[in-house]
Amino acid sequence: MDEKSLKHYIREISCLLKDYAKQAKVDADHPKESDSADFNDGFLMAYHQVIAVMKNQAPFFDLTQEEINLADIEPERDLV
């Protein structure tokens, strides 16, 4: 896989993760009657951890937040 394809893959995965994380935040903040609040909170924290690690590791690979499509999300602000 060439570098361009790899960056495109990372951007696409990041976009999907952000969408899933944002939905997990909604579910945690407004659980349905049939949902477990602990499950929803745990699910949200998993996305928080994944996105935080991706953002923190990007500079070590000479990638910017924009290149990995995560400049517009802050786990401590948006996923807590």
Side-chain angles (χ1 to χ4, degrees):
M1 181 178 288
D2 64 6
E3 186 175 336
K4 185 177 179 182
S5 295
L6 186 56
K7 283 185 179 182
H8 182 72
Y9 169 75
I10 292 169
R11 285 183 59 80
E12 290 299 314
I13 293 297
S14 296
C15 186
L16 289 171
L17 286 171
K18 281 192 304 187
D19 288 345
Y20 295 148
K22 288 174 184 176
Q23 184 59 52
K25 174 69 171 154
V26 169
D27 293 345
D29 288 348
H30 308 287
K32 298 175 184 145
E33 285 186 33
S34 61
D35 290 349
S36 163
D38 290 337
F39 178 83
N40 287 348
D41 290 343
F43 210 65
L44 176 61
M45 292 313 299
Y47 281 115
H48 175 283
Q49 185 68 21
V50 168
I51 291 174
V53 168
M54 288 180 71
K55 287 176 71 81
N56 291 333
Q57 292 297 308
F60 297 109
F61 295 91
D62 295 321
L63 296 169
T64 66
Q65 302 295 304
E66 290 78 15
E67 286 177 307
I68 62 170
N69 202 22
L70 293 176
D72 61 340
I73 190 167
E74 289 299 327
E76 294 301 321
R77 179 191 68 207
D78 302 323
L79 303 176
V80 176

Coordinates of all heavy atoms in Angstrom, one line a residue:
M1 N 0.9 -1.2 0.0 CA 0.0 0.0 0.0 C 0.9 1.2 0.0 O 1.8 1.3 0.8 CB -0.9 0.0 1.3 CG -1.8 1.2 1.3 SD -2.9 1.1 2.7 CE -4.0 -0.2 2.3
D2 N 0.6 2.2 -0.9 CA 1.4 3.4 -0.9 C 1.0 4.4 0.2 O -0.1 4.2 0.8 CB 1.4 4.0 -2.3 CG 0.0 4.5 -2.7 OD1 -0.9 4.5 -1.9 OD2 -0.1 5.0 -3.9
E3 N 1.8 5.4 0.4 CA 1.6 6.4 1.4 C 0.2 7.1 1.3 O -0.5 7.3 2.2 CB 2.7 7.4 1.5 CG 2.6 8.3 2.7 CD 3.8 9.2 2.8 OE1 4.9 8.9 2.3 OE2 3.6 10.3 3.4
K4 N -0.1 7.4 0.0 CA -1.3 8.2 -0.3 C -2.6 7.3 0.1 O -3.5 7.8 0.7 CB -1.4 8.6 -1.7 CG -2.6 9.4 -2.1 CD -2.6 9.8 -3.5 CE -3.8 10.6 -3.9 NZ -3.8 11.0 -5.3
S5 N -2.5 6.0 -0.2 CA -3.6 5.1 0.1 C -3.7 4.9 1.6 O -4.9 4.9 2.1 CB -3.4 3.8 -0.6 OG -3.5 3.9 -2.0
L6 N -2.6 4.8 2.3 CA -2.6 4.7 3.7 C -3.2 5.9 4.4 O -4.1 5.8 5.3 CB -1.2 4.4 4.2 CG -1.1 4.0 5.7 CD1 -1.9 2.8 6.0 CD2 0.4 3.8 6.1
K7 N -2.9 7.1 4.0 CA -3.4 8.3 4.6 C -4.9 8.4 4.3 O -5.7 8.8 5.2 CB -2.7 9.5 4.0 CG -1.3 9.7 4.7 CD -0.7 11.0 4.2 CE 0.6 11.2 4.9 NZ 1.2 12.5 4.6
H8 N -5.3 8.0 3.1 CA -6.8 8.0 2.8 C -7.5 7.0 3.7 O -8.6 7.3 4.2 CB -7.0 7.6 1.3 CG -8.4 7.7 0.9 ND1 -9.1 8.9 0.8 CD2 -9.3 6.7 0.6 CE1 -10.3 8.6 0.4 NE2 -10.5 7.3 0.3
Y9 N -6.9 5.9 3.9 CA -7.5 4.8 4.8 C -7.7 5.4 6.2 O -8.8 5.3 6.8 CB -6.7 3.6 4.8 CG -7.0 2.6 5.8 CD1 -8.2 1.8 5.7 CD2 -6.3 2.4 7.0 CE1 -8.5 0.9 6.6 CE2 -6.6 1.5 7.9 CZ -7.7 0.8 7.8 OH -8.1 -0.2 8.7
I10 N -6.6 6.0 6.7 CA -6.7 6.6 8.1 C -7.7 7.7 8.2 O -8.5 7.7 9.1 CB -5.3 7.1 8.5 CG1 -4.3 5.9 8.6 CG2 -5.4 7.9 9.8 CD1 -2.9 6.3 8.8
R11 N -7.8 8.5 7.2 CA -8.8 9.6 7.2 C -10.2 9.0 7.2 O -11.1 9.5 7.9 CB -8.7 10.5 6.0 CG -7.5 11.4 6.1 CD -7.4 12.4 4.9 NE -8.6 13.2 4.7 CZ -8.9 14.3 5.4 NH1 -8.0 14.7 6.3 NH2 -10.0 15.0 5.2
E12 N -10.5 8.0 6.4 CA -11.8 7.4 6.3 C -12.2 6.7 7.6 O -13.3 6.8 8.1 CB -11.9 6.4 5.2 CG -11.9 7.0 3.8 CD -13.1 8.0 3.6 OE1 -14.2 7.6 3.9 OE2 -12.8 9.1 3.2
I13 N -11.2 6.0 8.2 CA -11.5 5.3 9.5 C -11.7 6.3 10.6 O -12.6 6.2 11.4 CB -10.3 4.4 9.9 CG1 -10.2 3.2 8.9 CG2 -10.4 3.9 11.3 CD1 -11.3 2.3 8.9
S14 N -10.9 7.4 10.6 CA -11.1 8.5 11.6 C -12.5 9.1 11.5 O -13.2 9.4 12.5 CB -10.1 9.5 11.4 OG -8.8 9.0 11.7
C15 N -13.0 9.3 10.2 CA -14.3 9.8 10.0 C -15.4 8.9 10.6 O -16.3 9.4 11.3 CB -14.5 10.1 8.5 SG -16.0 10.9 8.1
L16 N -15.2 7.6 10.3 CA -16.2 6.7 10.9 C -16.2 6.6 12.4 O -17.2 6.6 13.1 CB -15.9 5.3 10.3 CG -16.3 5.1 8.9 CD1 -15.7 3.7 8.4 CD2 -17.8 5.1 8.6
L17 N -15.0 6.6 13.0 CA -14.8 6.6 14.4 C -15.5 7.9 15.0 O -16.1 7.8 16.1 CB -13.3 6.5 14.8 CG -12.7 5.1 14.6 CD1 -11.2 5.2 14.9 CD2 -13.3 4.1 15.6
K18 N -15.2 9.0 14.4 CA -15.9 10.2 15.0 C -17.4 10.1 14.9 O -18.0 10.5 15.9 CB -15.4 11.5 14.1 CG -14.1 12.0 14.5 CD -13.8 13.3 13.9 CE -14.0 13.4 12.4 NZ -13.6 14.6 11.8
D19 N -17.9 9.7 13.8 CA -19.4 9.5 13.7 C -19.9 8.6 14.8 O -20.9 8.9 15.5 CB -19.8 9.0 12.4 CG -19.6 10.0 11.3 OD1 -19.5 11.2 11.6 OD2 -19.7 9.6 10.1
Y20 N -19.2 7.4 15.0 CA -19.7 6.5 16.0 C -19.5 7.0 17.4 O -20.4 6.8 18.3 CB -18.9 5.2 15.9 CG -19.1 4.4 14.6 CD1 -18.1 3.6 14.1 CD2 -20.3 4.4 14.0 CE1 -18.3 2.9 12.9 CE2 -20.5 3.7 12.8 CZ -19.5 2.9 12.3 OH -19.7 2.2 11.1
A21 N -18.4 7.8 17.6 CA -18.2 8.4 18.9 C -19.2 9.4 19.3 O -19.7 9.5 20.4 CB -16.8 9.0 19.0
K22 N -19.6 10.2 18.3 CA -20.6 11.2 18.5 C -22.0 10.6 18.8 O -22.7 11.1 19.7 CB -20.7 12.2 17.3 CG -19.5 13.1 17.2 CD -19.6 13.9 15.9 CE -18.4 14.8 15.7 NZ -18.3 15.5 14.5
Q23 N -22.3 9.5 18.2 CA -23.5 8.8 18.5 C -23.5 8.2 19.9 O -24.4 8.2 20.6 CB -23.8 7.7 17.4 CG -25.2 7.0 17.6 CD -26.3 8.0 17.6 OE1 -26.5 8.7 16.7 NE2 -27.2 7.9 18.7
A24 N -22.3 7.6 20.2 CA -22.1 7.1 21.6 C -22.3 8.1 22.6 O -22.9 7.9 23.7 CB -20.7 6.4 21.7
K25 N -21.9 9.4 22.4 CA -22.1 10.5 23.3 C -23.6 10.8 23.4 O -24.1 11.0 24.6 CB -21.3 11.7 22.8 CG -21.6 13.0 23.6 CD -20.9 12.9 24.9 CE -21.0 14.3 25.6 NZ -21.0 14.2 27.0
V26 N -24.3 10.8 22.3 CA -25.7 11.0 22.4 C -26.4 9.9 23.2 O -27.3 10.2 24.1 CB -26.3 11.1 21.0 CG1 -27.9 11.1 21.0 CG2 -25.8 12.4 20.3
D27 N -26.0 8.7 22.9 CA -26.6 7.6 23.6 C -26.3 7.6 25.1 O -27.2 7.2 26.0 CB -26.2 6.2 23.0 CG -26.7 6.0 21.6 OD1 -27.6 6.7 21.2 OD2 -26.1 5.1 20.9
A28 N -25.1 8.0 25.5 CA -24.7 8.1 26.9 C -25.5 9.2 27.6 O -25.9 9.1 28.8 CB -23.2 8.3 27.0
D29 N -25.6 10.3 26.9 CA -26.3 11.5 27.5 C -27.8 11.3 27.6 O -28.5 11.9 28.4 CB -26.0 12.8 26.7 CG -24.6 13.2 26.9 OD1 -23.9 12.7 27.8 OD2 -24.1 14.1 26.2
H30 N -28.4 10.6 26.6 CA -29.8 10.4 26.6 C -30.2 8.9 26.3 O -30.7 8.6 25.3 CB -30.4 11.3 25.4 CG -30.0 12.7 25.5 ND1 -30.5 13.6 26.4 CD2 -29.1 13.4 24.8 CE1 -30.0 14.7 26.2 NE2 -29.1 14.7 25.2
P31 N -30.0 8.1 27.3 CA -30.2 6.7 27.1 C -31.7 6.4 27.0 O -32.6 7.0 27.5 CB -29.7 6.0 28.4 CG -29.7 7.1 29.4 CD -29.5 8.4 28.7
K32 N -31.9 5.4 26.2 CA -33.3 4.9 26.0 C -33.6 4.0 27.2 O -32.7 3.5 27.9 CB -33.4 4.1 24.7 CG -33.1 4.9 23.5 CD -33.1 4.0 22.2 CE -32.8 4.9 21.0 NZ -32.0 4.2 20.1
E33 N -34.9 3.8 27.4 CA -35.3 3.0 28.6 C -34.7 1.6 28.6 O -34.3 1.1 29.7 CB -36.8 2.9 28.7 CG -37.5 4.1 29.1 CD -39.0 3.9 29.3 OE1 -39.4 2.8 29.6 OE2 -39.7 4.9 29.0
S34 N -34.5 1.0 27.4 CA -34.0 -0.3 27.3 C -32.5 -0.4 27.4 O -31.9 -1.5 27.5 CB -34.5 -1.0 26.0 OG -34.0 -0.2 24.9
D35 N -31.8 0.8 27.4 CA -30.3 0.8 27.4 C -29.8 0.7 28.8 O -30.4 1.2 29.8 CB -29.8 2.1 26.8 CG -30.0 2.1 25.3 OD1 -30.4 1.1 24.7 OD2 -29.8 3.2 24.7
S36 N -28.6 0.2 29.0 CA -27.9 0.2 30.2 C -27.0 1.4 30.2 O -26.1 1.6 29.3 CB -27.0 -1.1 30.3 OG -26.0 -0.9 31.3
A37 N -27.1 2.3 31.2 CA -26.3 3.5 31.3 C -24.8 3.1 31.5 O -24.0 3.8 30.8 CB -26.8 4.3 32.5
D38 N -24.5 2.1 32.2 CA -23.1 1.7 32.4 C -22.5 1.3 31.0 O -21.4 1.6 30.7 CB -23.0 0.6 33.4 CG -23.2 1.0 34.8 OD1 -23.1 2.3 35.1 OD2 -23.5 0.2 35.7
F39 N -23.3 0.5 30.3 CA -22.8 0.1 29.0 C -22.6 1.3 28.0 O -21.5 1.3 27.4 CB -23.8 -0.9 28.3 CG -23.5 -1.3 26.9 CD1 -22.6 -2.4 26.8 CD2 -24.0 -0.7 25.8 CE1 -22.2 -2.8 25.5 CE2 -23.6 -1.1 24.5 CZ -22.7 -2.1 24.4
N40 N -23.5 2.2 28.0 CA -23.4 3.4 27.1 C -22.2 4.2 27.5 O -21.4 4.7 26.7 CB -24.6 4.2 27.2 CG -25.8 3.6 26.5 OD1 -25.7 2.7 25.7 ND2 -27.0 4.2 26.7
D41 N -22.0 4.4 28.9 CA -20.8 5.1 29.3 C -19.5 4.4 29.0 O -18.5 5.0 28.5 CB -20.9 5.3 30.8 CG -21.9 6.3 31.3 OD1 -22.4 7.1 30.4 OD2 -22.3 6.3 32.4
G42 N -19.5 3.1 29.1 CA -18.3 2.3 28.7 C -18.0 2.4 27.3 O -16.8 2.5 26.9
F43 N -19.0 2.3 26.5 CA -18.9 2.4 25.0 C -18.3 3.8 24.6 O -17.4 3.8 23.8 CB -20.2 2.2 24.4 CG -20.2 1.5 23.0 CD1 -19.7 0.2 22.9 CD2 -20.6 2.3 21.9 CE1 -19.7 -0.3 21.6 CE2 -20.6 1.7 20.7 CZ -20.2 0.4 20.5
L44 N -18.8 4.8 25.2 CA -18.3 6.2 25.0 C -16.8 6.3 25.4 O -16.0 6.9 24.6 CB -19.2 7.2 25.7 CG -18.7 8.7 25.6 CD1 -18.7 9.1 24.1 CD2 -19.6 9.5 26.4
M45 N -16.5 5.8 26.5 CA -15.1 5.9 27.0 C -14.1 5.1 26.1 O -13.0 5.5 25.9 CB -15.0 5.4 28.4 CG -15.7 6.3 29.4 SD -15.3 8.1 29.2 CE -13.6 8.2 29.4
A46 N -14.6 4.0 25.5 CA -13.8 3.3 24.5 C -13.5 4.2 23.3 O -12.3 4.2 22.9 CB -14.5 2.0 24.1
Y47 N -14.5 4.8 22.8 CA -14.2 5.8 21.7 C -13.3 6.9 22.1 O -12.4 7.3 21.4 CB -15.5 6.3 21.1 CG -16.2 5.3 20.2 CD1 -17.4 4.7 20.5 CD2 -15.6 4.9 19.0 CE1 -18.0 3.8 19.7 CE2 -16.2 4.0 18.2 CZ -17.4 3.4 18.5 OH -18.0 2.5 17.7
H48 N -13.5 7.4 23.3 CA -12.7 8.5 23.8 C -11.2 8.0 23.8 O -10.3 8.8 23.3 CB -13.1 8.8 25.3 CG -12.3 9.8 26.0 ND1 -11.0 9.4 26.5 CD2 -12.5 11.1 26.3 CE1 -10.5 10.5 27.1 NE2 -11.4 11.5 27.0
Q49 N -10.9 6.8 24.3 CA -9.6 6.3 24.4 C -9.0 6.1 23.0 O -7.8 6.5 22.8 CB -9.6 5.0 25.2 CG -8.2 4.4 25.4 CD -7.4 5.3 26.4 OE1 -7.9 6.0 27.1 NE2 -6.1 5.1 26.3
V50 N -9.7 5.5 22.1 CA -9.2 5.3 20.7 C -8.8 6.6 20.0 O -7.8 6.8 19.5 CB -10.2 4.5 19.9 CG1 -9.8 4.5 18.4 CG2 -10.3 3.1 20.4
I51 N -9.7 7.6 20.1 CA -9.5 8.9 19.4 C -8.3 9.6 20.1 O -7.5 10.2 19.4 CB -10.8 9.7 19.3 CG1 -11.7 9.0 18.3 CG2 -10.5 11.1 18.9 CD1 -13.1 9.6 18.2
A52 N -8.3 9.6 21.4 CA -7.2 10.2 22.1 C -5.8 9.6 21.7 O -4.9 10.4 21.5 CB -7.4 10.1 23.6
V53 N -5.8 8.3 21.7 CA -4.5 7.6 21.3 C -4.1 8.0 19.8 O -3.0 8.3 19.6 CB -4.6 6.1 21.5 CG1 -3.5 5.4 20.8 CG2 -4.7 5.8 22.9
M54 N -5.1 8.0 18.9 CA -4.8 8.3 17.6 C -4.2 9.8 17.5 O -3.3 10.0 16.7 CB -6.0 8.2 16.7 CG -6.4 6.7 16.4 SD -7.9 6.6 15.4 CE -7.2 7.1 13.8
K55 N -4.9 10.7 18.2 CA -4.4 12.1 18.1 C -3.0 12.2 18.8 O -2.2 13.0 18.2 CB -5.4 13.0 18.9 CG -6.7 13.2 18.1 CD -7.7 14.0 18.9 CE -7.3 15.4 19.0 NZ -7.6 16.3 17.9
N56 N -2.8 11.6 19.9 CA -1.5 11.7 20.5 C -0.4 11.0 19.8 O 0.8 11.5 19.9 CB -1.6 11.1 21.9 CG -2.5 11.9 22.9 OD1 -2.6 13.1 22.7 ND2 -3.0 11.2 23.9
Q57 N -0.6 10.0 19.0 CA 0.4 9.3 18.3 C 0.7 9.9 16.9 O 1.8 9.7 16.4 CB 0.0 7.8 18.1 CG 0.0 7.0 19.4 CD 1.4 6.9 20.0 OE1 2.3 6.6 19.4 NE2 1.4 7.3 21.3
A58 N -0.2 10.6 16.4 CA 0.0 11.2 15.0 C 1.3 11.9 14.9 O 2.0 11.7 13.8 CB -1.2 12.1 14.7
P59 N 1.7 12.8 15.8 CA 3.0 13.5 15.6 C 4.2 12.6 15.5 O 5.1 13.0 14.8 CB 3.1 14.5 16.8 CG 1.7 14.5 17.4 CD 1.0 13.3 17.0
F60 N 4.2 11.5 16.1 CA 5.3 10.6 16.0 C 5.4 10.0 14.6 O 6.5 9.4 14.3 CB 5.2 9.5 17.1 CG 5.2 10.0 18.5 CD1 4.0 10.0 19.3 CD2 6.3 10.5 19.0 CE1 4.0 10.5 20.6 CE2 6.4 11.0 20.3 CZ 5.2 11.0 21.1
F61 N 4.4 10.1 13.8 CA 4.4 9.6 12.5 C 4.4 10.7 11.5 O 4.1 10.5 10.3 CB 3.3 8.6 12.2 CG 3.4 7.4 13.1 CD1 2.8 7.3 14.3 CD2 4.1 6.3 12.6 CE1 2.9 6.2 15.1 CE2 4.2 5.1 13.4 CZ 3.6 5.1 14.6
D62 N 4.7 11.9 12.0 CA 4.7 13.1 11.1 C 3.4 13.4 10.4 O 3.3 13.8 9.3 CB 5.9 13.1 10.1 CG 7.2 13.1 10.8 OD1 7.4 13.9 11.8 OD2 8.1 12.4 10.3
L63 N 2.3 13.1 11.2 CA 1.0 13.4 10.7 C 0.3 14.5 11.5 O 0.5 14.5 12.7 CB 0.1 12.1 10.8 CG 0.5 10.9 10.0 CD1 -0.2 9.7 10.4 CD2 0.4 11.1 8.5
T64 N -0.4 15.3 10.8 CA -1.1 16.4 11.5 C -2.5 15.9 11.8 O -3.0 14.9 11.3 CB -1.2 17.7 10.6 OG1 -2.0 17.4 9.4 CG2 0.2 18.2 10.1
Q65 N -3.2 16.7 12.7 CA -4.5 16.4 13.0 C -5.4 16.4 11.8 O -6.4 15.7 11.7 CB -5.0 17.3 14.1 CG -4.2 17.3 15.4 CD -4.3 16.0 16.1 OE1 -5.4 15.5 16.4 NE2 -3.1 15.4 16.4
E66 N -5.1 17.4 10.9 CA -5.9 17.5 9.7 C -5.7 16.3 8.8 O -6.7 15.9 8.2 CB -5.5 18.8 9.0 CG -6.0 20.1 9.7 CD -5.1 20.5 10.8 OE1 -3.9 20.0 11.0 OE2 -5.5 21.3 11.6
E67 N -4.5 15.8 8.7 CA -4.3 14.7 7.8 C -5.0 13.4 8.3 O -5.4 12.6 7.4 CB -2.8 14.4 7.8 CG -2.0 15.4 6.9 CD -0.5 15.1 7.0 OE1 0.1 15.0 8.1 OE2 0.1 15.0 5.9
I68 N -5.2 13.3 9.6 CA -5.9 12.1 10.0 C -7.4 12.4 10.3 O -8.1 11.6 10.9 CB -5.2 11.5 11.3 CG1 -5.2 12.5 12.5 CG2 -3.8 11.0 10.9 CD1 -4.7 11.8 13.8
N69 N -7.8 13.6 10.0 CA -9.2 14.0 10.0 C -9.7 14.0 11.5 O -10.9 13.7 11.8 CB -10.1 13.0 9.2 CG -11.4 13.6 8.8 OD1 -11.5 14.8 8.8 ND2 -12.4 12.8 8.5
L70 N -8.9 14.4 12.4 CA -9.3 14.5 13.8 C -9.1 15.9 14.4 O -9.1 16.0 15.7 CB -8.5 13.4 14.7 CG -8.9 12.0 14.3 CD1 -8.0 11.0 15.2 CD2 -10.3 11.7 14.6
A71 N -8.9 16.9 13.6 CA -8.6 18.2 14.1 C -9.9 18.8 14.8 O -9.8 19.7 15.6 CB -8.1 19.1 13.0
D72 N -11.0 18.3 14.4 CA -12.3 18.9 14.8 C -12.9 18.2 16.0 O -14.1 18.4 16.3 CB -13.3 19.0 13.7 CG -13.6 17.7 13.1 OD1 -12.9 16.7 13.3 OD2 -14.7 17.6 12.5
I73 N -12.2 17.3 16.7 CA -12.7 16.6 17.8 C -11.7 16.6 18.9 O -10.5 16.4 18.7 CB -13.2 15.2 17.5 CG1 -14.0 14.6 18.6 CG2 -12.0 14.3 17.0 CD1 -14.7 13.3 18.2
E74 N -12.1 16.9 20.2 CA -11.3 16.9 21.3 C -11.9 15.9 22.3 O -13.0 16.2 22.9 CB -11.1 18.3 22.0 CG -10.3 19.2 21.2 CD -8.9 18.8 21.0 OE1 -8.3 18.1 21.9 OE2 -8.3 19.0 19.9
P75 N -11.3 14.8 22.6 CA -11.9 13.8 23.4 C -12.3 14.3 24.8 O -13.4 14.0 25.3 CB -10.8 12.7 23.6 CG -10.0 12.8 22.3 CD -10.0 14.3 22.0
E76 N -11.5 15.1 25.4 CA -11.8 15.6 26.8 C -12.9 16.6 26.8 O -13.6 16.8 27.8 CB -10.5 16.3 27.4 CG -9.4 15.3 27.7 CD -9.8 14.2 28.6 OE1 -10.6 14.5 29.6 OE2 -9.4 13.1 28.4
R77 N -13.2 17.2 25.6 CA -14.3 18.2 25.5 C -15.5 17.5 25.0 O -16.6 17.8 25.5 CB -13.8 19.4 24.6 CG -14.9 20.4 24.4 CD -14.6 21.3 23.2 NE -14.6 20.6 22.0 CZ -13.8 20.9 20.9 NH1 -13.0 22.0 20.9 NH2 -13.9 20.2 19.8
D78 N -15.4 16.7 23.9 CA -16.5 16.2 23.2 C -17.0 14.8 23.6 O -18.1 14.5 23.2 CB -16.2 16.2 21.7 CG -15.7 17.6 21.1 OD1 -16.3 18.6 21.6 OD2 -14.8 17.6 20.3
L79 N -16.2 14.1 24.3 CA -16.5 12.7 24.5 C -16.5 12.4 26.0 O -16.2 11.2 26.4 CB -15.6 11.8 23.8 CG -15.6 12.0 22.3 CD1 -14.5 11.1 21.6 CD2 -16.9 11.8 21.6
V80 N -16.8 13.3 26.9 CA -16.9 13.1 28.3 C -18.3 13.4 28.8 O -18.9 14.2 28.3 CB -15.8 13.9 29.0 CG1 -15.9 13.7 30.5 CG2 -14.4 13.5 28.6

